Amino acid sequence: MAVRWPVVLAIVSLLSACSAPAPIPAPDAASTPAGASEAVVNVYSGRHYDADGVLYQRFEAETGIKVRVLEAPGAQLLERLKAEGEASAADLILTSDAGNLAQLKAADLLAPVQSPILDAAIPAKLRDSEGKWYGLTKRARVIVFAKADAAAAQVKSYADLGLPRYKGRVCVRSSTNVYNLSLLSGMISSQGAEAAQKWAKAVRANFAREPEGSDTDQIKAVAAGACSLAIVNHYYLVRMLSSKDPSERQAAAQVQLVFPDQAGGGTHINVSGAGLAKFAAHRENAQRLLEFLVNKPSQTLLAEMNDEFPVRADVPAAGAVVALGPFKESNVPLDSFGANQAKAQAIFDAVDWR
C-alpha cells in the first residue's frame, strides 16, 4: 500500500513529538517511499527509558536493522496514529499499561502477530488473547504507608483502604489515570461491577484531599504527613530510594510498601507492552524487534535498568526490586482491562472520585 507522505508531513506540522535517540525523519514529499525490504524499523513509543535506547543499539548491532524512534505520551500517540491512518510510518508501537494497549486495539491500530517465540516467553495473562499486543515488563500496583503510622501499617488489602478507621487518610491519583482505571477494571473482572463500585465509594469517602499529581507525588504526600496511605506502582518507590535528589531519598525512606491481597486474589499486575502497527511497512523487522525485546538478555537488562519485573519466568528481578520480597500476583488476564475500562470510568464518575 502506498504511503501518502504529504499527509504525514501535514500531521507532523500539527502534532508535536518528544525528542528520541534516533528520531523518525520527516520524509521528502517528492521522494519515493522506502519499501518493506528496507533495513529499518520505525518505533512509536510512549516509554521514555534509557534501557530502551540501549536495547535498540544492541538490536541494530545484531541485525543491521536501524531503529528509528518517535517518543510521545501514550494518549498523544493514540491520537497521532488515528490521525495518520494508513499514512502512518509506525511499524511497532510501545506504551505503558494494558489499558493503553487496549485502546490501541479498540481503535483498530494493531495487527495480530503469530510468534512461537513470544508465546513461549510471555505468560498468556500478560498478552492479548488475539496476539495484538504483548507485555514487555511487569509492574505491581501496591500500597505505601507512613512507617511512623502504626494504624496505617496494618493495611493488608485494597479493601482496607475503604475502612472507616482510614477516613481522611488516603491519597490517590485521578480517576482518568490509566493505572487506576486498570486497577478498577481488574476488580470488575474478578469481583463484579457492584463490588468494584462499593470499593471505589468506600475509598472515595476516605480521601485526605482531592486526587492530584503522579505516583511520585502520592509517595511524597505520605512522607509529608498529608495522608497515611496511597496507591502507587512499585517502581516509583524503588526509584526514589536511589534518586540523585536527596529530598526524594528522604521522602522514600519514610514510607513502606505492602503487596495487597496476599491472602486473597493477589496484587494487581500490569505491563508495559508493544504491538505491531496495523499499517506497518516493515512488518518482519518489527516482529524481529518485538521478539528481541523478550529474549533473556533483553529482559535481564530491562529488569536491571527499569526497576520493573521481567515478563519471562526464567529471568529474575534485579537490584532493589528483589529486596521487596516475593509476593502473590493476581491471575486476572490483562486483556480484560480494556473490556472493562468504560465500566471502570463510569463507576469512578458515579462515586465522584474525580
Side-chain angles (χ1 to χ4, degrees):
M1 182 176 294
V3 178
R4 298 191 293 273
W5 294 117
V7 176
V8 174
L9 288 172
I11 293 167
V12 169
S13 69
L14 293 172
L15 299 174
S16 62
C18 301
S19 59
I24 298 174
D28 183 345
S31 67
T32 301
S37 61
E38 186 183 10
V40 67
V41 57
N42 294 327
V43 177
Y44 279 27
S45 179
R47 289 165 53 90
H48 313 286
Y49 301 135
D50 292 341
D52 292 4
V54 174
L55 289 176
Y56 297 153
Q57 292 175 2
R58 289 186 179 182
F59 179 77
E60 289 176 343
E62 181 177 307
T63 66
I65 298 171
K66 179 69 176 177
V67 181
R68 301 189 300 201
V69 183
L70 182 149
E71 287 187 357
Q76 182 177 319
L77 283 182
L78 176 63
E79 293 309 311
R80 182 182 185 113
L81 286 157
K82 286 180 179 179
E84 290 178 344
E86 296 181 28
S88 179
D91 297 313
L92 189 67
I93 307 167
L94 276 68
T95 192
S96 297
D97 201 281
N100 284 329
L101 291 162
Q103 289 183 30
L104 289 166
K105 178 182 175 180
D108 196 24
L109 295 169
L110 301 176
V113 173
Q114 293 184 345
S115 169
I117 293 174
L118 295 173
D119 291 346
I122 305 171
K125 73 174 184 178
L126 302 179
R127 49 185 163 90
D128 177 55
S129 59
E130 297 178 350
K132 290 195 172 183
W133 58 260
Y134 293 83
L136 299 177
T137 58
K138 187 170 61 175
R139 65 275 301 274
R141 194 91 177 128
V142 301
I143 297 172
V144 293
F145 60 87
K147 289 181 179 179
D149 190 325
Q154 300 305 308
V155 70
K156 301 295 182 185
S157 68
Y158 299 112
D160 286 350
L161 295 175
L163 294 175
R165 67 171 175 265
Y166 295 130
K167 187 174 182 62
R169 300 171 72 177
V170 178
C171 283
V172 296
R173 294 180 71 155
S174 73
S175 67
T176 57
N177 172 253
V178 71
Y179 300 159
N180 285 342
L181 283 170
S182 290
L183 175 63
L184 193 61
S185 293
M187 291 183 182
I188 294 171
S189 292
S190 60
Q191 303 171 38
E194 184 177 349
Q197 182 159 340
K198 182 178 180 181
W199 174 83
K201 183 177 181 180
V203 176
R204 175 66 179 92
N206 285 349
F207 283 1
R209 63 182 187 186
E210 292 302 304
E212 63 178 63
S214 66
D215 280 18
T216 299
D217 293 325
Q218 311 313 311
I219 295 170
K220 291 180 178 178
V222 173
C227 48
S228 302
L229 297 152
I231 308 171
V232 302
N233 284 349
H234 80 276
Y235 53 84
Y236 285 96
L237 179 59
V238 173
R239 291 171 186 173
M240 285 180 67
L241 286 167
S242 60
S243 172
K244 294 180 180 179
D245 183 343
S247 66
E248 287 198 346
R249 294 199 304 272
Q250 183 178 11
Q254 296 178 58
V255 308
Q256 192 165 326
L257 171 157
V258 62
F259 290 107
D261 290 344
Q262 294 305 284
T267 298
H268 173 86
I269 292 296
N270 211 316
V271 293
S272 280
L276 184 70
K278 181 177 181 179
F279 302 110
H282 312 99
R283 290 176 179 268
E284 291 185 6
N285 295 348
Q287 183 165 332
R288 286 185 69 180
L289 176 56
L290 183 53
E291 292 171 345
F292 177 86
L293 292 173
V294 298
N295 68 26
K296 290 183 72 172
S298 295
Q299 286 285 293
T300 299
L301 184 140
L302 286 169
E304 292 173 347
M305 293 187 67
N306 278 8
D307 297 316
E308 293 182 275
F309 298 98
V311 291
R312 291 184 67 113
D314 56 354
V315 175
V321 176
V322 175
L324 300 177
F327 68 99
K328 175 185 176 182
E329 59 184 62
S330 169
N331 283 320
V332 175
L334 271 62
D335 62 359
S336 69
F337 295 175
N340 292 327
Q341 198 170 65
K343 293 180 183 178
Q345 188 63 69
I347 287 173
F348 277 139
D349 292 344
V351 304
D352 198 29
W353 185 289
R354 299 182 193 174

